[in-house]
Amino acid sequence: MIRCLAIDDEPLALQQIVTYISKIPFLELAAQCQSALEARQFLEQDTVDAIFCDINMPDLNGMDFVKSLVTPPLIVFTTAYAEYAVDGFKVNAVDYLLKPFGLQDFQRAASRLKERLEGSTPVVSAPMVSGLPADTSDDTIFLKTEYRIVKVSISDIRYVEAMSEYLKVHIVSDSRPIITLLSMKKMEERLPDYFMRIHRSYIVNLKMIQEVNKNRIIMDKDTYLPIGDMYKDTFQQYLDTKFLGK
């Protein structure tokens, strides 16, 4: 059994985590706390294998709480703010659950906890260069994310977003981006010619563009990507080769 501590300052959110823990056979609730300070007091008297921890909490936020632990257990962050994902990656969190999340998302995070504790991290024998495999002859790449190395189909990539020294790789098959420590230059060199750099922070799969509206690209109803001044001419040349009309 994996002994878990649930932390969230919102009673309903905390109850949701507690309920989900009760539905996973290999999880056991050790305690539930409504603040990081309360959780700290608990951990002074007891130990757990994993913590499901909200980030945005008063007095002491979840990220600072985890950083303050001398020997932290495995961490799954829960948050309503996607921008915290990179910070979670930096403290080696097993997963982060973006609110509102359902049981399926929670089960995925629980399975990752189990994999980590059982030491079943996938091993890739191919030589790696900055997180990418040396063999570039097929349509796949390998990316290191959290504690895993995942295989990604290049044609499944919608767009790549730069966040400081990290990249967020947005793919078709998962609503959550893959976060990896990699440079835009290295990624741009590896991607085929149906990808184009349109901004210092974005590389886009040209096959998945739905609309071009002034100085932005529309990928779907919720995703609008800016076209940077340095990249306008190159992108316009691409459009000219595809444009039908007067």
Side-chain angles (χ1 to χ4, degrees):
M1 297 290 284
I2 301 174
R3 299 186 75 242
C4 302
L5 174 62
I7 313 170
D8 201 304
D9 64 312
E10 299 178 6
L12 290 178
L14 182 59
Q15 184 56 50
Q16 180 191 42
I17 295 172
V18 170
T19 300
Y20 285 169
I21 288 174
S22 70
K23 294 180 181 293
I24 308 296
F26 54 84
L27 296 185
E28 175 188 356
L29 180 67
Q32 52 181 300
C33 301
Q34 288 191 266
S35 73
L37 297 177
E38 182 184 348
R40 179 181 286 172
Q41 291 177 351
F42 171 81
L43 290 175
E44 289 174 355
Q45 307 296 325
D46 206 341
T47 60
V48 295
D49 302 307
I51 298 177
F52 290 89
C53 184
D54 186 25
I55 293 179
N56 191 25
M57 295 186 290
D59 298 324
L60 179 63
N61 71 48
M63 193 68 64
D64 291 337
F65 164 68
V66 169
K67 290 178 180 178
S68 73
L69 298 176
V70 178
T71 54
L74 300 182
I75 305 295
V76 174
F77 283 118
T78 62
T79 176
Y81 304 96
E83 59 267 26
Y84 284 125
V86 168
D87 291 331
F89 185 89
K90 289 180 179 178
V91 299
N92 200 29
V94 173
D95 205 348
Y96 71 96
L97 294 169
L98 190 61
K99 298 178 181 179
F101 54 84
L103 179 58
Q104 185 175 359
D105 297 318
F106 192 88
Q107 288 174 324
R108 183 196 64 239
S111 295
R112 289 179 177 176
L113 285 174
K114 190 170 185 287
E115 289 173 3
R116 177 78 74 92
L117 285 171
E118 292 176 348
S120 58
T121 304
V123 176
V124 176
S125 58
M128 304 294 292
V129 179
S130 299
L132 298 180
D135 180 10
T136 60
S137 60
D138 64 1
D139 183 50
T140 59
I141 56 176
F142 286 87
L143 297 174
K144 185 175 182 181
T145 177
E146 300 163 347
Y147 68 99
R148 303 171 299 139
I149 297 175
V150 297
K151 184 178 181 180
V152 178
S153 172
I154 293 176
S155 58
D156 197 32
I157 298 174
R158 299 177 63 233
Y159 64 97
V160 179
E161 178 182 1
M163 295 183 65
S164 186
E165 68 268 37
Y166 291 84
L167 298 183
K168 293 172 70 175
V169 182
H170 299 261
I171 60 177
V172 174
S173 57
D174 196 335
S175 60
R176 292 178 359 125
I178 297 169
I179 299 175
T180 185
L181 179 61
L182 195 66
S183 70
M184 284 288 273
K185 183 177 184 297
K186 183 64 68 174
M187 178 63 83
E188 191 174 12
E189 290 173 350
R190 177 61 182 88
L191 293 175
D193 57 8
Y194 59 87
F195 284 83
M196 181 179 290
R197 185 92 173 254
I198 60 162
H199 188 276
R200 62 178 301 190
S201 299
Y202 294 101
I203 299 172
V204 65
N205 185 335
L206 298 171
K207 295 180 179 181
M208 296 191 183
I209 295 174
Q210 291 191 1
E211 186 178 333
V212 179
N213 189 334
K214 296 182 180 179
N215 292 326
R216 62 182 184 176
I217 287 172
I218 300 174
M219 303 297 290
D220 55 51
K221 64 182 180 66
D222 298 316
T223 308
Y224 300 79
L225 306 180
I227 303 172
D229 291 339
M230 291 179 55
Y231 305 91
K232 285 181 181 178
D233 291 344
T234 303
F235 183 70
Q236 186 60 51
Q237 291 173 13
Y238 164 75
L239 283 184
D240 290 344
T241 65
K242 301 293 183 180
F243 186 74
L244 294 180
K246 297 181 180 180

